[in-house]
Amino acid sequence: MQEKEKLIELKDLQITFGTGKKKFVAVDHVNFDIYKGETFALVGESGSGKTTIGRAITRINPVSAGEILFKGRRISGKISKELDLEVIKKCQMIFQDPQASLNERAKVDYIISEGLINHHLYKDEKDRYNKVQNALREVGLLPEFASRFPHEFSGGQRQRIGIARALIMEPEFVVADEPISALDVSIRAQVLNLLNELKKTKGLTYLFIAHDLSVVRFISDRIAVIHKGRIVELAEAEELFLHPLHPYTKALLSAVPIPDPEREKNKELIVYDPSIHDYSVDQPVWEEILPGHFVYGNQKELEGYRREIEK
Amino acid sequence: MFKYTIKRLLQSVVTVLIVVTIVFLLMRMLPTDYFFTEDQLMKFTPEQKEEQLQAAGLLDPMPKQLVRYYGQLLKFDFGESRRIQNGVDVVSVIGDKFTISMKLGCTALVISLFVGILIGIIQTLNKDRILDHVGTAYTIFVNAVPSLVSYSLVLAFGSKVLGLPSLYSTRNPSETSILPIVCLSLASIASYALWTRRYMVDELNKDYIKLARVKGTSSAGIMIKHVFKNAFVPLAQYVPASFLYTIGGSLLVERFFSVPGMGPLLTDAIVRYDVNVVQTLVVLYAVLGTLGVFLGDILMMLLDPRIKLTGKGGTR
Amino acid sequence: MTKEPILSAKDVEIQFSLRGRKLTAIRRCSLDLYEGETLAIVGESGSGKSVFTKSFLGMLDSNGSITHGSIMYDGKDLAKYKKEKDWRTIRGKKISMVMQDPMTSLNPLKKVGKQIQESIELNQGIKGAEAKKMALEMLEKVGIPFPEKRYNQYPHEFSGGMRQRVVIAIAAACHPDILICDEPTTALDVTIQAQILNLIRDLQKELKMTVIYITHDLGVVANVADRVAVMYAGQIVEYGTVNEIFYDAWHPYTWALLSSLPQLGVKGEPLPTIEGTPPNLFNKIQGDAFAPRNKKALAIDFEEEPPFFEITPTHKAKTWYLDPRAPKIEQPEAIKRLRASMEGRG
Amino acid sequence: MGENEKKDDLFRFVEYSAEKAERTGYSDYSYWKSVFQNFLKKKSAVVMAIVFFALVIFSFIALHIGKYDYAALKTNSAMAFQSPNGEYWFGTDNLGRDYWCQVWYAAQTSIKLALIVALGECVLGVIIGCIWGYIRSLDRILTEVYNIINNVPVIIYMTLIALLVGQSFTIMCISLIGFGWLTMARNVRNLVMMYRDREYNLASRCLGTPIWRVLVKNILPYLISIIILRLALSIPSTIALESTLSYLGLGLGIDTPSLGILLRNARNYFLEHPYLLIFPAVIVSLITVTFYLVGNAFSDAADPRNHV
Amino acid sequence: GSGKKESKGEKGASEEIKDLVTYEVPQREMENVFVLNTEMAADLNVLCNTNEGFLETNPKGQLVAGIAKEWGTEDNGLTWTFKMRDDVKWVDQQGNEKADMVADDFVTALEWILNAHKNDAGNNTSMPISMIKGAKEYREYTKSLSADEALKLDKSKFLEMVGIETPDDYTVVYHCIAETPYFDTVAVCACLYPISQGFIDEVGVENVKSVGIDKLWYNGPYILTEFIQGNTKTLTKNESYWDKDCKLFDTVTIKLVEDVTVGYSLYDTGEIDTIDLAEANLRAIYEDENNQYHDYLTEKLPNKFSYQMKFNYAKKNEDGSDDTNWNTAIANEAFRQSIYYGLDLTKTYERANMINPLSCENTAYTMKGLVYFSDGTDYVDRVEELIELPESNGKKMRRLDKEKAEELKKQAIEELSAKGVKFPVEMDYYIPAGSQLALDSATVLQENFAECLGDDYIKLNIGTYVSSLTQEVIDPSLQSVVMNGWGADYGDVQNFLGQETYGEETAYYSMNYTNINDATDPELIATWKEFTDLVNKANAITGDLDERYEAYAQAEAYMLKHAMTIPYNLEISWQLSKINDYSVSHAIYGMQNAKYKNWETSVDAYTTEDYEKFAEEFNK
Ligand SMILES: Nc1ncnc2c1ncn2[C@@H]1O[C@H](COP(=O)(O)OP(=O)(O)OP(=O)(O)O)[C@@H](O)[C@H]1O
Ligand SMILES: Nc1ncnc2c1ncn2[C@@H]1O[C@H](COP(=O)(O)OP(=O)(O)OP(=O)(O)O)[C@@H](O)[C@H]1O
Ligand SMILES: [Mg+2]
Ligand SMILES: [Mg+2]
């Protein structure tokens, strides 16, 4: 694992909104690395700061403390124009709501080639046209769709347009912010397949954001669980499912609906109560409890987790 | 809240000051000859003119004049009228007028709010049916026919057919106000009806109305308990301002019916170079304007619990 | 399930007129609802789940109407109801509904408690202080802490999950016979969703309601439903008990739906998908509406609409696959796996 | 029985076509074509639009076919206040001049003025409004500028302009635009703020799209329908404002008659000679109603949500 | 119908109006209620009812005794003595008597006017300064003082410096600078009106300027009981008025009416008692025999202004350069005369008076009715005689002579072409922007020029000003011609002709409008000098008034013959009225024309016939 190339590194990341009294810390002390070629998932409930982290990496949200490195170079805060351009090209984002993330008044052609136009990444009109056609084909859409408007498409198709828009920049790293949450179940599979396929063919690295652990399990290599702006647990996907340690992770897992009536009826819902943590004296730390398995807790809790693993 | 109010008020003071300064400078851009009446221009020798200008302080350097003016403002000394009512304190010149304008305007506003909203409600209840179209037709008609024309029609109809007095009189304000109020209300009824309808229809399409229907609330209940109040909120924002603006009076209507109100005052004062009156009016309008927006925001806040006044202020 | 249905829809057709054109949202669809059961209706977005159920309370948009068929409830044909007044005898007390979006379903300018109270006053004939007491109880029942304080708050002061609880409280406070929950959890995240599902189940038991549960998430269905109806393009294409649908489905659409669940997928392998888009409801649909998207469609699917074939007395599917003349066809892997795991367990 | 046989052989698998599946249900679509088609469906608006164009064209024809030339009108008090007749189609005014050519000439002026002002307001208002709404740091200062300009009664500006600069068609256009853009800009700003934080704009930012293109491509198209509506409504309000200003002597120069001026004059005579009021009033009303209906219809039509 | 005729027969028995309601247009709204501080007609029309000076004018415009029982001069007008009644009271707004009116009130008032700090706007100063001994010096003296000092001045310094004295409580004596035979006519002007010291003391010197009607003291026939700016003024009969026998209304209400068209409908509904008719209404009534007002149209008497076309002899272009073309042309006598004889203004007159347009023709420079020879001949009749003006034939303007005009035109073209003048000569004429009435008139005038003189000869261009003619047009000297009416300040021809003389600063028109002093054409200047000499000669004659007037008549005839300025019109309009205009005071000078005293009225409106009868009687 050590020899894997780190693509993205988050170091003590903190992101705040507002100033003065209304100051609100959305993300606090977040540390993780994303290795090249993996799908790194970030799960957590609504409002836990998942999107904020994703947006910080694509430089939409400013960072208030800590830093973000891309291939070892700092991309947070003030950076040079060239680096900015590179980040734009190399880090792209797929948005949650295919309805909202496409400009309804622009043709698909424009939407997809927007990035190309911005940075003149094409030789001539013909080249651009070809690139758009290819991008559409790559995401499984018909090239002729280029001349249509977003509202003529179904949710899945739209999401694919959004993916094509990101891919045409030939990024290395893609933040997929709940790309399937707003989609109909029957279309989710399409998008997941597509993402997986693109990862293989293009060697992409994903930061996959979701609140549904079942989806995450299917697609991701490593999973980080975030709660109220803090990462509480991080592990490889199967490891996390088999040995969830943090109570919040357990709660999250218990809530996943299982499409099996018998099991679903017998499942027990675990409710997470943050007040079980007593961090007043014993300060919590971010600890690698097993190789590759991190968890957030104070010494007493960590002790308990270790005992749990041993069982 | 208190802090916010203070902040907003201070901000308004700055706005008003800037406005006043601009107008002050603009007025001084006019050649000083406007200071004199045609008669005086005829009779006065250049020395006489200069003497008078000197006395009025119009020949001082601009910064000095400005500072002096600010000083007066601080003391709430608005000076005397020169032409409108020679020698009379501007405040008392304006004072009588604005009560008259406000009385007429507020009556008209209350009527138009009442009638306009009623029409809007009727239109909403009969959406896409004949009464709705009639209401829309009225709106279009009022906007389409130039106000000069519609006022003339009101005047002709009112005095010829109904035998109503056509000139405003302070001795008989109730009867003589009828026609001016009708004219004032014509357009605002239309616009209140239009907006009420628009907002109510918007509101009717909202999900919570469906929930209310699902739980078995009657149509009337929905209208009264849900739609109306919610539709009134966006409208309410402009109500305080509208009330305050009535002080300004309506130029056309007041001229038309010889209402001794504020409407024609500003133009008269400008054309006659009654600088103090112009400036005082501008102060007044600017204060009313900012105050109107402010009160609108407060009212919105009272009506709509979602809105918390923040530093950003009345710009939503 | 030999009881008489409390609500029985027969051959319902619902059309919308849209800019001079007719859109057929529900195409001759029938459904029986039995007392005390939980029926889940699944289907992809736009398949007509909401429209169909909304027609039970006369909540269709004004441009839509029932153009054929009947909806029998309590000896009356709801399909014939035209007047708002008639519907008011049904809405609330008899049939009530929880809508999808908790963010917009509450009047933003009214205190939350009052909104519940209104529902109580309207449907239980209780007024004033007593109604308020009941409203407070209701708040407590749907799991909102500090009901006294919350009563006086406005919707925007509630989180999404809490708002949805309030919406449910409002619907349940009517004490309806039938409660329709139209995607009550779609907008919420999984943890909250699980809590809401439990809540509905508890309320159902307590108030002895019949619940129609609309969703497109089969995981949710597995959790709540006794019986499942699968809808596609304005028709119910398959229904059966929850076990029958999950372990022994027969309609290709149901198969596709189940197979595409990531929970059932195998890591590293592509998930089966449903390609394409649902049919345009403005057009007349020939044959099986799902045929163009069915990777193993039969030729007849494009020609003629299949009838319902009975698999068990409670399980029917509308597919030519069940016709004796049809070639032999295997159920997909996912279903087999589900069944295997069920059998393994029990 | 043959029927059944035919059916039997239909029980076979057919090859699945992904393309066909993707295509189901959707037809070819062109935005502007749909806008246009939708617009054409509004009968009243179409009729009014035709009437309006006819009016504009007719105003030219009218000046030609009229028996009198505007430039060569002669006063003749003996012919004053002739009701419409074969010689004077719209009658004569108080000086015995042919009213027909005055009305049409004035109509041309007014329409020209209104169109120019509406367009000018629109361009200026949209540009400033976009910047105002999109760039947060400018919001404060522009709002203040708005408050300041808006709080000084327009009459003051108009009087000062008339006194200091003079009166003419061009000055009128410029000054009306100079104040009219405010409302437009304010409107646009509010709308822009609504759309500014939409997710697709974030997407554009991710792609490094420059602000102006975000505005032009991502935001403006959403405002089109409202801009059109405002544009349409500004036409009648310009005509109304012009007539009020004329009434105060702050209007156009004397050599350019406008409908506003005709109306103002007719007011003195309309009880005895209603036709003097009716003709210009009808034209003004026609213009207003047209732009009201057309504006509404067009803004509806421009909204792709309304495209089937 | 015939019913009306019968009622007319009984007119004599008709009731008089008790509460008169009349109107005013907003442009003529009152601005100032303190009589000494204003010269505006709009103010004085009201204030002449609340304040009273020595004398009054009768309907013929002659001076009659008022507060002064007797008055006169014994030294050709060097000193004037006014002997007052002793029963005149000052009252407050409630009618309570505040003080007796005494000679000192006139001293107080004159001091007020001349005191530069009390009367800082300088209203009403011009006549006292030019006529009364020491007035100018006193004003200069007060200017040199600080405001405080000047306000505190008592009258001792004033009496010492200025030629006014009060031998007893009811006698006032004025000492004029020069022999001023017409000084008594000044007594009907505000500048010689009295004010009570008691009033000043009561209000406080510094508050007098802004005094309200509730604080004013009244000595006139009415008290101003209501003044709502922009709406109404009400005058109520003063019960303590000295002239117990005169006829007064109980109240007079003056309403502000947007314009006469609105006024007409008010008359129609009975809300006002008199209305001037605008063109459209007049035409409608006149042309329709069945109109209910058809028989009630009455022609007004001319207002007191004599309108002239005043040419600008040193016109400038907009860029400030001289308009040589115009200046050369207008300096040519034949050119001017061709306008005088050739320009038919009948159509212009029809605008105001479609029934009887020719009555609007103005024949002379001085206004008719200003002064009379001792045999009763009107001065203007003498001027007409001197310029050999033909009698009116009721068909065309009296001065019109087409053939002569044609000849003069030819001559002018010849002479001017030689000087390089380009034809048509452009003639710039300015009207207020936004006034349709002015525009209509100007348009008609423009056509009059084109039709009568040919647009290849003179072309009238219409320009506009927004607010101030003086500021925007006269100061930059942009106008070719101005139509201006002069109303007399006092009863002497000098007041008219003196405005046109050459090289004198006091000549208002020469200084401001005609700019003759800046002209360069020697012939033109010679003409003017000649005229000026004639006027000065007349000025010098103070003993025998007939002689004086004859000399003026000669000068005026010279002026008209050389078309130095061309008489334009008299304003005579038509009205519907319940007031007998012939019973109303008609002074050409002074401020008493709207004094509601001894007016004959009838609750039934007067008919055309009634008025004709009145006119006949009046002109006897
Ligand atoms: N622009 C902003 N200004 C202020 N607060 C913000 C802003 N954006 C996000 N937040 C706050 O930051 C917190 C984290 O938000 P974020 O959108 O990252 O959550 P999330 O995990 O993506 O939630 P979801 O699942 O609902 O998308 C939330 O409480 C949100 O209210
Ligand atoms: N008012 C309406 N006018 C026209 N068409 C409508 C209207 N309401 C619904 N439809 C159409 O009827 C069809 C069924 O809609 P419905 O809302 O029942 O779908 P659904 O199954 O509830 O979908 P979702 O899961 O997205 O809620 C859709 O194609 C929709 O476009
Ligand atoms: Mg998010
Ligand atoms: Mg639905």
Side-chain angles (χ1 to χ4, degrees), chain B residues 44-57:
Chain B
F44 284 176
T45 59
E47 297 85 63
Q48 264 178 311
K49 287 184 194 169
E50 186 156 334
E51 197 182 299
Q52 291 239 352
L53 292 172
Q54 193 81 54

Side-chain angles (χ1 to χ4, degrees), chain C residues 141-277:
Chain C
K141 216 176 274 176
V142 295
I144 291 179
F146 314 114
E148 291 281 353
K149 183 179 138 215
R150 291 298 192 171
Y151 181 93
N152 283 319
Q153 286 184 335
Y154 290 91
H156 70 276
E157 295 168 82
F158 282 55
S159 73
M162 273 152 87
R163 275 189 235 184
Q164 191 62 300
R165 285 164 196 262
V166 172
V167 174
I168 291 168
I170 289 175
C174 304
H175 288 188
D177 296 342
I178 303 175
L179 179 68
I180 301 170
C181 299
D182 188 354
E183 312 198 21
T185 57
T186 308
L188 307 172
D189 65 38
V190 273
T191 35
I192 317 272
Q193 166 170 314
Q195 295 167 15
I196 298 280
L197 295 183
N198 283 348
L199 169 67
I200 292 176
R201 210 179 8 236
D202 295 346
L203 279 174
Q204 182 186 9
K205 269 188 211 131
E206 189 183 328
L207 302 173
K208 303 197 176 47
M209 297 182 290
T210 309
V211 174
I212 300 181
Y213 207 102
I214 299 173
T215 179
H216 49 231
D217 188 340
L218 285 165
V220 172
V221 174
N223 185 318
V224 297
D226 301 326
R227 244 164 28 99
V228 181
V230 182
M231 269 190 100
Y232 186 78
Q235 281 182 330
I236 291 180
V237 291
E238 181 164 11
Y239 53 85
T241 63
V242 68
N243 286 10
E244 282 162 349
I245 295 294
F246 276 85
Y247 307 130
D248 191 23
W250 269 103
H251 195 277
Y253 176 68
T254 319
W255 290 348
L257 214 51
L258 282 165
S259 314
S260 64
L261 286 171
Q263 290 97 320
L264 303 178
V266 178
K267 206 162 182 174
E269 274 176 34
L271 287 168
T273 60
I274 312 174
E275 305 287 336
T277 52

